[in-house]
Amino acid sequence: MEINRIVELLKDSFGDAIIELAETKPDPYLKVNKDRITDICSYLSQEPQLGFDTLMILSGMDLGDKLAVVYHLYSLQHKHRIVLKAELPKDNPAVHTVESIWQAANWFEREAAEMYGITFIDHPDPRKLLLTEDWIGCPMRKDYVYPESWHGMPLKRPADEK
Amino acid sequence: MVTNDTKTGESGIILTTADYAINWARSNSLWPLTFGLACCAIEMMATGAAKYDIDRFGAGVFRPSPRQADLMIVAGTVTFKMAELIKRLYAQMPEPKYVLAMGSCSISGGPFSKDSYSVLRGVDLIVPVDVFVPGCPPRPEALLEGLIKLQGIIKKRSIIDKK
């Protein structure tokens, strides 16, 4: 199905929650309201003519003044794809999990959570994925402040400091 | 009567120094730890396989336990999470023990030496390194060269040295 037709179907069901379709190359992305993300995703996966059965990747983004979560969806049955982007405010970046719709989201969300500080509400396993449990800060944020050392090991070689 | 084809132990005497004999044994039976961290480990495996055959230098017995190993070849990127374990593995190895830092990553952090939050900038910051082998990754010949250099270092040591 063409991307514009998919967007029309979504607009019929969700109205204002579908903000705009950005015509970027190679994949256009669809901006959506973060509060309706679970409804939109379950519609996309349940509706037979859409049939988005695969979450290819879920990633976090730092846009400077706000954060974003990007969902790359694919339908193995219909061979069409869509990219959703939900923008979150930086002071309280929280979005509902889509783990109950696509289990692949479990680790993707854990990674986005530790790297960008995004809270995924109702996530079944909200531990850190790659970082250690005592890690401070979100390394992929643009305003991340590097620590001097980690467990007594320096982040710079002594000769590099000049 | 003593002949050459019977081994009675009476056929001859070899005179040498204890240092020479011990260093000869140590340098020609370096047992490395099976320890690969990244792509350098692929080159290390190639060095161990038939074409380059690290066994020619007596260092082909890759041990699965640090308690049986003499040489730790740090082959790959050392992250902070792994650095904790490298310290422990090094502590578990019996004396005398040697460390060979293989590749840019374990020497200085390599491509991760700037702006990385997770990579240790050189394994010499946590364990003493005897030989550095540069390259990204080093070719098997380079690793063998490093091994021969390490054998040369061992052959110069004395059992009286405290170090």
Side-chain angles (χ1 to χ4, degrees):
Chain A
M1 195 183 287
E2 285 295 308
I3 181 79
N4 292 321
R5 178 83 189 104
I6 298 172
V7 174
E8 269 173 39
L9 279 174
L10 282 170
K11 277 194 171 152
D12 290 345
S13 304
F14 297 99
D16 290 346
I18 310 300
I19 297 164
E20 65 166 324
L21 179 70
E23 298 282 356
T24 50
K25 297 279 177 189
D27 292 323
Y29 68 86
L30 183 63
K31 260 193 211 174
V32 297
N33 187 335
K34 70 179 172 68
D35 299 323
R36 302 291 305 277
I37 196 73
T38 335
D39 302 333
I40 294 167
C41 286
S42 53
Y43 175 77
L44 285 169
S45 82
Q46 299 299 327
E47 179 68 26
Q49 53 182 329
L50 296 174
F52 284 101
D53 44 18
T54 307
L55 175 68
M56 291 194 291
I57 191 164
L58 182 155
S59 23
M61 277 181 90
D62 189 340
L63 303 171
D65 52 341
K66 53 199 162 196
L67 300 173
V69 184
V70 184
Y71 305 79
H72 282 75
L73 307 179
Y74 183 66
S75 170
L76 288 169
Q77 190 187 348
H78 303 296
K79 310 263 186 265
H80 56 205
R81 60 187 71 211
I82 191 170
V83 182
L84 303 182
K85 191 190 253 186
E87 292 185 348
L88 318 172
K90 246 186 175 171
D91 52 334
N92 179 26
V95 67
H96 205 278
T97 179
V98 294
E99 199 269 346
S100 54
I101 303 162
W102 302 287
Q103 285 198 355
N106 193 315
W107 279 28
F108 291 149
E109 287 182 350
R110 280 170 68 186
E111 189 184 4
E114 66 181 2
M115 292 295 171
Y116 293 93
I118 298 165
T119 312
F120 288 91
I121 302 159
D122 289 347
H123 194 281
D125 185 15
R127 290 174 300 157
K128 287 200 190 318
L129 177 65
L130 299 164
L131 302 177
T132 50
E133 282 295 328
D134 60 348
W135 196 277
I136 299 162
C138 307
M140 286 293 156
R141 281 219 196 172
K142 300 218 187 274
D143 53 2
Y144 177 64
V145 182
Y146 287 79
E148 289 284 305
S149 65
W150 189 80
H151 288 198
M153 291 175 278
L155 246 75
K156 280 183 177 168
R157 290 189 71 81
D160 295 345
E161 278 168 10
K162 54 180 178 261
Chain B
M1 182 187 168
V2 179
T3 58
N4 282 338
D5 55 345
T6 54
K7 290 185 180 176
T8 61
E10 298 165 7
S11 57
I13 300 166
I14 297 170
L15 287 173
T16 183
T17 60
D19 270 346
Y20 183 87
I22 289 166
N23 287 341
W24 172 78
R26 281 180 178 170
S27 61
N28 290 307
S29 65
L30 280 169
W31 288 5
L33 182 59
T34 312
F35 186 58
L37 296 177
C39 33
C40 280
I42 305 296
E43 296 296 301
M44 186 172 73
M45 288 177 231
T47 317
K51 185 165 178 178
Y52 296 97
D53 197 9
I54 201 171
D55 255 327
R56 293 178 295 153
F57 305 92
V61 194
F62 283 90
R63 305 309 296 175
S65 162
R67 297 184 196 282
Q68 300 170 339
D70 308 301
L71 168 64
M72 180 158 71
I73 302 175
V74 184
T77 316
V78 182
T79 59
F80 285 123
K81 272 166 96 177
M82 197 64 204
E84 302 265 272
L85 299 170
I86 288 179
K87 280 197 257 186
R88 186 192 295 178
L89 288 169
Y90 183 74
Q92 284 175 334
M93 285 165 66
E95 295 276 359
K97 51 190 169 184
Y98 311 98
V99 178
L100 189 151
M102 180 182 181
S104 303
C105 291
S106 59
I107 293 171
S108 69
F112 310 102
S113 58
K114 200 170 181 340
D115 287 344
S116 171
Y117 59 92
S118 59
V119 174
L120 184 70
R121 301 328 195 255
V123 75
D124 56 321
L125 294 171
I126 53 167
V127 291
V129 176
D130 297 279
V131 178
F132 295 91
V133 179
C136 188
R139 284 197 51 88
E141 292 95 331
L143 180 57
L144 292 175
E145 170 83 14
L147 184 76
I148 293 164
K149 281 268 189 293
L150 178 62
Q151 289 179 333
I153 291 169
I154 295 168
K155 278 173 183 159
K156 285 193 194 111
R157 288 198 180 160
S158 169
I159 49 168
I160 303 167
D161 289 348
K162 285 294 171 201
K163 176 79 168 59

